[in-house]
Each structure stands twice: as C-alpha cells, then as structure tokens.
Amino acid sequence: MERTFTMVKPDGVRKGLTGEVIRRYEKAGLKLIGLKMVRLSEEKAGELYFIHKGKPFYNELVEFIISGPVIPMVLEGDNAVSQVRDIMGATDPKEAAPGTIRGDFAEEISENVVHGADSVESANREIQVIFSQDELVG
Ligand code: IDP
Ligand code: MG
C-alpha cells in the first residue's frame, strides 16, 4: 500500500474536469483518503513547488496555481505514485498519450490539468504541505 498526492489544477476545475479526474483514479482502484477544495496562498504554492524555484517557469507556475481553486487529494493503493503518473500522462500535453488525462484534456504545458507527486518522498512532503492529519481518513 502506497499513498500519493495529486491535485486538480485551476484549469481543470474551471473546465469542469474534477469528476472525470476522480473517476479515472477510482476506476484504477485507487482509494480516496483525503480531498478538499482550496485556493492556495502564494506561500503554500511556493512550498508545494519549492523544487522548481529558480527555473524559468517558476513564477508563471505559482501565479497559475493560485489563480483559482484547486482540488488536492490523497490516494492510496498499490504503486499509487506511478499509477497516478501513468493516469495523468506526460508533463507536456503534446507528448501525453491519448487516454491519459493530459493527453485527453490539456493543450499547454503550463496548464496541464493535474499535478501528481513524482515519488513516495515527494508525496509525503506534499501531503504535509496541504493536509493536516485530521483531514485524512484511515
Ligand atoms: P510534472 O507536473 O509532470 O511533475 P514538473 O517537471 O514537476 O512536471 O513541473 C511542474 C509543473 O510545472 C508542470 O506540471 C507544468 O505545469 C509546469 N512546467 C514544467 N515545465 C515547464 C515549462 O517548460 N514551461 C512552462 N511550465 C512548465
Ligand atoms: Mg513534478
């Protein structure tokens, strides 16, 4: 059993893709153990994306992620981290396979519908940034 952190980004919420994203995760057998709708502060967004600090797209990324509400989630299941990465598809929607969330619904790398942790370590860190223990079930 593994936990991961994933989040519908502001473009996904605006396009009404929240239900579709959750449906794909649940269909894969992943279990929701935390979910909420929030508008991230600039500080929280910076904590979440701290590994990208200094990169050319960092400011744009933070501005975008705080531009509207997001739906952060914690999912549990076998190989949850890699399962979610597979379901999301490649970072750049132009390279994302059909049948993946980004392949089906995103057009631009800067607005690619979903975030997903890239390792168990990242997942645990990101869960702690966004959720408190009493917001998680089980
Ligand atoms: P990931 O979301 O697939 O893990 P990362 O490399 O961790 O991809 O980048 C985090 C986010 O930053 C991406 O989802 C994407 O929205 C944005 N991003 C990454 N590279 C670029 C870029 O070259 N230009 C604009 N935005 C980018
Ligand atoms: Mg990443």
Side-chain angles (χ1 to χ4, degrees), residues 91-120:
T91 305
D92 187 346
K94 292 176 182 71
E95 288 160 21
T100 65
I101 294 168
R102 287 162 168 174
D104 290 348
F105 301 115
E107 266 121 54
E108 296 293 331
I109 192 168
S110 54
E111 301 201 2
N112 56 6
V113 182
V114 276
H115 166 83
D118 62 7
S119 66
V120 171

mmCIF file of all heavy atoms in Angstrom, residues 91-120:
data_model
loop_
_atom_site.group_PDB
_atom_site.id
_atom_site.type_symbol
_atom_site.label_atom_id
_atom_site.label_comp_id
_atom_site.label_asym_id
_atom_site.label_seq_id
_atom_site.Cartn_x
_atom_site.Cartn_y
_atom_site.Cartn_z
ATOM 1 N N THR A 91 4.126 15.352 -18.809
ATOM 2 C CA THR A 91 4.017 16.749 -18.373
ATOM 3 C C THR A 91 3.550 17.657 -19.511
ATOM 4 O O THR A 91 2.669 18.497 -19.323
ATOM 5 C CB THR A 91 5.393 17.245 -17.863
ATOM 6 O OG1 THR A 91 5.847 16.348 -16.844
ATOM 7 C CG2 THR A 91 5.298 18.655 -17.320
ATOM 8 N N ASP A 92 4.181 17.484 -20.683
ATOM 9 C CA ASP A 92 3.791 18.284 -21.852
ATOM 10 C C ASP A 92 2.653 17.564 -22.589
ATOM 11 O O ASP A 92 2.849 16.478 -23.128
ATOM 12 C CB ASP A 92 4.989 18.445 -22.793
ATOM 13 C CG ASP A 92 4.686 19.398 -23.942
ATOM 14 O OD1 ASP A 92 3.492 19.727 -24.170
ATOM 15 O OD2 ASP A 92 5.645 19.816 -24.615
ATOM 16 N N PRO A 93 1.472 18.175 -22.603
ATOM 17 C CA PRO A 93 0.312 17.521 -23.234
ATOM 18 C C PRO A 93 0.572 17.107 -24.678
ATOM 19 O O PRO A 93 -0.028 16.147 -25.156
ATOM 20 C CB PRO A 93 -0.779 18.587 -23.169
ATOM 21 C CG PRO A 93 -0.372 19.484 -22.061
ATOM 22 C CD PRO A 93 1.128 19.471 -22.028
ATOM 23 N N LYS A 94 1.501 17.799 -25.341
ATOM 24 C CA LYS A 94 1.815 17.432 -26.733
ATOM 25 C C LYS A 94 2.471 16.065 -26.801
ATOM 26 O O LYS A 94 2.458 15.405 -27.837
ATOM 27 C CB LYS A 94 2.715 18.501 -27.363
ATOM 28 C CG LYS A 94 1.991 19.824 -27.560
ATOM 29 C CD LYS A 94 2.922 20.918 -28.090
ATOM 30 C CE LYS A 94 2.192 22.245 -28.236
ATOM 31 N NZ LYS A 94 1.865 22.884 -26.928
ATOM 32 N N GLU A 95 3.056 15.641 -25.691
ATOM 33 C CA GLU A 95 3.703 14.323 -25.634
ATOM 34 C C GLU A 95 2.881 13.298 -24.858
ATOM 35 O O GLU A 95 3.266 12.127 -24.765
ATOM 36 C CB GLU A 95 5.083 14.460 -24.980
ATOM 37 C CG GLU A 95 6.089 15.151 -25.876
ATOM 38 C CD GLU A 95 7.261 15.725 -25.097
ATOM 39 O OE1 GLU A 95 7.509 15.271 -23.957
ATOM 40 O OE2 GLU A 95 7.917 16.634 -25.633
ATOM 41 N N ALA A 96 1.762 13.741 -24.304
ATOM 42 C CA ALA A 96 0.952 12.840 -23.470
ATOM 43 C C ALA A 96 0.081 11.949 -24.354
ATOM 44 O O ALA A 96 -0.530 12.413 -25.316
ATOM 45 C CB ALA A 96 0.089 13.655 -22.513
ATOM 46 N N ALA A 97 0.055 10.664 -24.032
ATOM 47 C CA ALA A 97 -0.680 9.691 -24.848
ATOM 48 C C ALA A 97 -2.184 9.896 -24.729
ATOM 49 O O ALA A 97 -2.682 10.297 -23.666
ATOM 50 C CB ALA A 97 -0.310 8.281 -24.391
ATOM 51 N N PRO A 98 -2.922 9.604 -25.813
ATOM 52 C CA PRO A 98 -4.380 9.586 -25.715
ATOM 53 C C PRO A 98 -4.799 8.574 -24.645
ATOM 54 O O PRO A 98 -4.154 7.544 -24.484
ATOM 55 C CB PRO A 98 -4.837 9.107 -27.100
ATOM 56 C CG PRO A 98 -3.679 9.301 -28.009
ATOM 57 C CD PRO A 98 -2.444 9.219 -27.155
ATOM 58 N N GLY A 99 -5.858 8.910 -23.930
ATOM 59 C CA GLY A 99 -6.291 8.031 -22.844
ATOM 60 C C GLY A 99 -5.751 8.456 -21.494
ATOM 61 O O GLY A 99 -6.207 7.989 -20.458
ATOM 62 N N THR A 100 -4.736 9.351 -21.511
ATOM 63 C CA THR A 100 -4.268 9.943 -20.258
ATOM 64 C C THR A 100 -5.016 11.259 -20.048
ATOM 65 O O THR A 100 -5.556 11.838 -21.005
ATOM 66 C CB THR A 100 -2.748 10.202 -20.280
ATOM 67 O OG1 THR A 100 -2.457 11.196 -21.284
ATOM 68 C CG2 THR A 100 -1.971 8.924 -20.587
ATOM 69 N N ILE A 101 -5.039 11.731 -18.810
ATOM 70 C CA ILE A 101 -5.767 12.974 -18.513
ATOM 71 C C ILE A 101 -5.195 14.135 -19.323
ATOM 72 O O ILE A 101 -5.930 14.889 -19.975
ATOM 73 C CB ILE A 101 -5.718 13.282 -16.998
ATOM 74 C CG1 ILE A 101 -6.492 12.220 -16.213
ATOM 75 C CG2 ILE A 101 -6.281 14.685 -16.717
ATOM 76 C CD1 ILE A 101 -6.267 12.269 -14.702
ATOM 77 N N ARG A 102 -3.874 14.272 -19.287
ATOM 78 C CA ARG A 102 -3.261 15.399 -20.020
ATOM 79 C C ARG A 102 -3.396 15.216 -21.531
ATOM 80 O O ARG A 102 -3.614 16.183 -22.260
ATOM 81 C CB ARG A 102 -1.801 15.546 -19.590
ATOM 82 C CG ARG A 102 -1.663 16.140 -18.180
ATOM 83 C CD ARG A 102 -0.304 15.880 -17.599
ATOM 84 N NE ARG A 102 -0.029 16.649 -16.384
ATOM 85 C CZ ARG A 102 1.069 16.496 -15.645
ATOM 86 N NH1 ARG A 102 1.989 15.612 -15.994
ATOM 87 N NH2 ARG A 102 1.254 17.230 -14.557
ATOM 88 N N GLY A 103 -3.270 13.982 -21.997
ATOM 89 C CA GLY A 103 -3.430 13.706 -23.426
ATOM 90 C C GLY A 103 -4.831 14.020 -23.915
ATOM 91 O O GLY A 103 -5.016 14.493 -25.039
ATOM 92 N N ASP A 104 -5.806 13.771 -23.069
ATOM 93 C CA ASP A 104 -7.200 13.964 -23.480
ATOM 94 C C ASP A 104 -7.701 15.397 -23.276
ATOM 95 O O ASP A 104 -8.580 15.845 -24.012
ATOM 96 C CB ASP A 104 -8.123 13.012 -22.691
ATOM 97 C CG ASP A 104 -7.928 11.552 -23.099
ATOM 98 O OD1 ASP A 104 -7.260 11.300 -24.120
ATOM 99 O OD2 ASP A 104 -8.448 10.670 -22.384
ATOM 100 N N PHE A 105 -7.191 16.102 -22.263
ATOM 101 C CA PHE A 105 -7.834 17.364 -21.866
ATOM 102 C C PHE A 105 -6.939 18.604 -21.847
ATOM 103 O O PHE A 105 -7.444 19.711 -21.687
ATOM 104 C CB PHE A 105 -8.469 17.214 -20.481
ATOM 105 C CG PHE A 105 -9.494 16.119 -20.416
ATOM 106 C CD1 PHE A 105 -9.291 14.992 -19.628
ATOM 107 C CD2 PHE A 105 -10.676 16.214 -21.148
ATOM 108 C CE1 PHE A 105 -10.241 13.977 -19.568
ATOM 109 C CE2 PHE A 105 -11.638 15.206 -21.091
ATOM 110 C CZ PHE A 105 -11.411 14.080 -20.307
ATOM 111 N N ALA A 106 -5.614 18.448 -21.934
ATOM 112 C CA ALA A 106 -4.737 19.618 -21.811
ATOM 113 C C ALA A 106 -4.149 19.994 -23.165
ATOM 114 O O ALA A 106 -4.018 19.153 -24.053
ATOM 115 C CB ALA A 106 -3.618 19.323 -20.819
ATOM 116 N N GLU A 107 -3.818 21.277 -23.309
ATOM 117 C CA GLU A 107 -3.188 21.728 -24.542
ATOM 118 C C GLU A 107 -1.789 22.311 -24.311
ATOM 119 O O GLU A 107 -0.936 22.227 -25.164
ATOM 120 C CB GLU A 107 -4.063 22.774 -25.246
ATOM 121 C CG GLU A 107 -4.981 22.165 -26.288
ATOM 122 C CD GLU A 107 -6.435 22.449 -25.989
ATOM 123 O OE1 GLU A 107 -6.783 23.616 -25.822
ATOM 124 O OE2 GLU A 107 -7.213 21.471 -25.914
ATOM 125 N N GLU A 108 -1.609 22.927 -23.140
ATOM 126 C CA GLU A 108 -0.362 23.645 -22.867
ATOM 127 C C GLU A 108 0.348 23.049 -21.656
ATOM 128 O O GLU A 108 -0.298 22.669 -20.684
ATOM 129 C CB GLU A 108 -0.676 25.118 -22.543
ATOM 130 C CG GLU A 108 -1.297 25.891 -23.684
ATOM 131 C CD GLU A 108 -0.345 26.096 -24.852
ATOM 132 O OE1 GLU A 108 0.875 26.160 -24.620
ATOM 133 O OE2 GLU A 108 -0.824 26.164 -25.989
ATOM 134 N N ILE A 109 1.668 23.028 -21.691
ATOM 135 C CA ILE A 109 2.446 22.505 -20.555
ATOM 136 C C ILE A 109 2.186 23.311 -19.288
ATOM 137 O O ILE A 109 2.200 22.787 -18.182
ATOM 138 C CB ILE A 109 3.965 22.451 -20.895
ATOM 139 C CG1 ILE A 109 4.720 21.636 -19.833
ATOM 140 C CG2 ILE A 109 4.554 23.841 -21.070
ATOM 141 C CD1 ILE A 109 6.143 21.282 -20.213
ATOM 142 N N SER A 110 1.919 24.611 -19.467
ATOM 143 C CA SER A 110 1.708 25.475 -18.292
ATOM 144 C C SER A 110 0.323 25.291 -17.682
ATOM 145 O O SER A 110 0.086 25.680 -16.544
ATOM 146 C CB SER A 110 1.912 26.934 -18.692
ATOM 147 O OG SER A 110 1.073 27.237 -19.795
ATOM 148 N N GLU A 111 -0.601 24.692 -18.428
ATOM 149 C CA GLU A 111 -1.956 24.445 -17.908
ATOM 150 C C GLU A 111 -2.327 23.019 -18.258
ATOM 151 O O GLU A 111 -3.042 22.761 -19.229
ATOM 152 C CB GLU A 111 -2.960 25.448 -18.512
ATOM 153 C CG GLU A 111 -2.583 26.893 -18.209
ATOM 154 C CD GLU A 111 -3.752 27.869 -18.337
ATOM 155 O OE1 GLU A 111 -4.885 27.440 -18.622
ATOM 156 O OE2 GLU A 111 -3.493 29.073 -18.143
ATOM 157 N N ASN A 112 -1.815 22.090 -17.445
ATOM 158 C CA ASN A 112 -1.947 20.675 -17.811
ATOM 159 C C ASN A 112 -2.854 19.874 -16.863
ATOM 160 O O ASN A 112 -2.658 18.681 -16.660
ATOM 161 C CB ASN A 112 -0.566 20.029 -17.987
ATOM 162 C CG ASN A 112 0.303 20.169 -16.745
ATOM 163 O OD1 ASN A 112 -0.161 20.657 -15.711
ATOM 164 N ND2 ASN A 112 1.534 19.731 -16.831
ATOM 165 N N VAL A 113 -3.832 20.560 -16.303
ATOM 166 C CA VAL A 113 -4.999 19.960 -15.612
ATOM 167 C C VAL A 113 -4.720 19.331 -14.254
ATOM 168 O O VAL A 113 -5.518 19.493 -13.326
ATOM 169 C CB VAL A 113 -5.750 18.934 -16.516
ATOM 170 C CG1 VAL A 113 -6.973 18.353 -15.815
ATOM 171 C CG2 VAL A 113 -6.153 19.568 -17.839
ATOM 172 N N VAL A 114 -3.615 18.586 -14.136
ATOM 173 C CA VAL A 114 -3.356 17.880 -12.877
ATOM 174 C C VAL A 114 -1.895 17.968 -12.432
ATOM 175 O O VAL A 114 -0.988 18.080 -13.262
ATOM 176 C CB VAL A 114 -3.716 16.366 -12.955
ATOM 177 C CG1 VAL A 114 -5.177 16.117 -12.686
ATOM 178 C CG2 VAL A 114 -3.261 15.752 -14.265
ATOM 179 N N HIS A 115 -1.740 17.880 -11.129
ATOM 180 C CA HIS A 115 -0.426 17.697 -10.519
ATOM 181 C C HIS A 115 -0.399 16.302 -9.911
ATOM 182 O O HIS A 115 -1.424 15.825 -9.417
ATOM 183 C CB HIS A 115 -0.212 18.731 -9.398
ATOM 184 C CG HIS A 115 0.960 18.388 -8.515
ATOM 185 N ND1 HIS A 115 2.246 18.719 -8.853
ATOM 186 C CD2 HIS A 115 1.034 17.695 -7.342
ATOM 187 C CE1 HIS A 115 3.072 18.246 -7.907
ATOM 188 N NE2 HIS A 115 2.357 17.633 -6.990
ATOM 189 N N GLY A 116 0.757 15.662 -9.904
ATOM 190 C CA GLY A 116 0.909 14.403 -9.190
ATOM 191 C C GLY A 116 2.318 14.281 -8.656
ATOM 192 O O GLY A 116 3.280 14.616 -9.359
ATOM 193 N N ALA A 117 2.446 13.806 -7.435
ATOM 194 C CA ALA A 117 3.777 13.647 -6.827
ATOM 195 C C ALA A 117 4.618 12.687 -7.661
ATOM 196 O O ALA A 117 4.097 11.759 -8.277
ATOM 197 C CB ALA A 117 3.634 13.121 -5.402
ATOM 198 N N ASP A 118 5.951 12.919 -7.675
ATOM 199 C CA ASP A 118 6.826 12.105 -8.521
ATOM 200 C C ASP A 118 7.537 10.984 -7.766
ATOM 201 O O ASP A 118 8.287 10.211 -8.361
ATOM 202 C CB ASP A 118 7.839 12.994 -9.255
ATOM 203 C CG ASP A 118 8.758 13.739 -8.303
ATOM 204 O OD1 ASP A 118 8.716 13.488 -7.078
ATOM 205 O OD2 ASP A 118 9.543 14.575 -8.795
ATOM 206 N N SER A 119 7.339 10.892 -6.452
ATOM 207 C CA SER A 119 7.965 9.826 -5.656
ATOM 208 C C SER A 119 7.210 9.729 -4.332
ATOM 209 O O SER A 119 6.434 10.633 -3.987
ATOM 210 C CB SER A 119 9.434 10.145 -5.377
ATOM 211 O OG SER A 119 9.521 11.286 -4.533
ATOM 212 N N VAL A 120 7.456 8.652 -3.610
ATOM 213 C CA VAL A 120 6.833 8.500 -2.287
ATOM 214 C C VAL A 120 7.282 9.631 -1.361
ATOM 215 O O VAL A 120 6.482 10.186 -0.601
ATOM 216 C CB VAL A 120 7.178 7.113 -1.686
ATOM 217 C CG1 VAL A 120 6.724 7.010 -0.235
ATOM 218 C CG2 VAL A 120 6.544 6.010 -2.513
#
